[in-house]
Amino acid sequence: MTLRGKITMHKKLLEKYNVPGPRYTSYPTVPYWDDETFTMARWRQTLERAFTKSNERDGISLYVHLPYCESLCTYCGCNKRITKNHDVELPYIDTVLREWALYRALLGDTPRIRELHLGGGTPTFFSPKNLETLITSLLSGVTLTDPYEFAFEANPNSTTKEHLSTLFGLGFRRLSLGVEDFDPKVQDVINRIQPFERVAAVTHQAREIGYPS
């Protein structure tokens, strides 16, 4: 291919992808949502059918969104609440557990949990004690597949050794440390001051405790 041909191809690719796109965290993505025929009855039927099909055979995956952060990363597009008031923790946990009870009543059969993921926000905004309350309550009366996988997202600035030990004791074996950039100038611009040394310290603590991933 000639240089002119390569430039033309690259320009077409840029034009194709240089458009606003939906966030990848919803599937199907928002532009494909069917608002006209969507009903509560249809949602319940779909949920019950999917649960019945997968629960006994494979187990189910459970995602819990913990939206709180003490400071705003300016690139963030997630559903979040910025606060330093940790009194919000227990009321939020109570709300999550009441929602889970509604699902349990709707689904009927005992859930078999294959995967549990805590996302955010910053899950380690919550105290280790309150996270333990959340997890033990969520898992009360359910069964776990063999094997199962528990994972959580962690901000190194708010993740303590107690967080790591408590969650490890509850069955978590994987943590995700979001690292956007180690350049101090970039960190300043995106308001996520997260030095390499802090990330390394949390990583080493996790390894010492026994996290394999």
Side-chain angles (χ1 to χ4, degrees), residues 80-154:
K80 71 277 185 184
R81 295 291 181 271
I82 308 303
T83 182
K84 293 184 183 295
N85 175 20
H86 287 262
D87 290 341
V88 300
E89 293 183 28
L90 286 177
Y92 187 82
I93 287 173
D94 179 64
T95 302
V96 169
L97 294 176
R98 285 190 284 119
E99 182 181 5
W100 179 231
L102 292 174
Y103 275 102
R104 292 287 305 273
L106 176 64
L107 298 174
D109 290 342
T110 300
R112 299 178 65 247
I113 306 295
R114 182 180 78 249
E115 296 174 327
L116 171 61
H117 186 83
L118 304 182
T122 303
T124 50
F125 171 96
F126 289 72
S127 72
K129 180 180 179 181
N130 286 340
L131 288 173
E132 183 174 14
T133 297
L134 170 64
I135 300 306
T136 54
S137 299
L138 280 174
L139 299 181
S140 176
V142 309
T143 59
L144 303 177
T145 62
D146 184 17
Y148 64 88
E149 182 178 84
F150 292 175
F152 67 99
E153 298 169 12

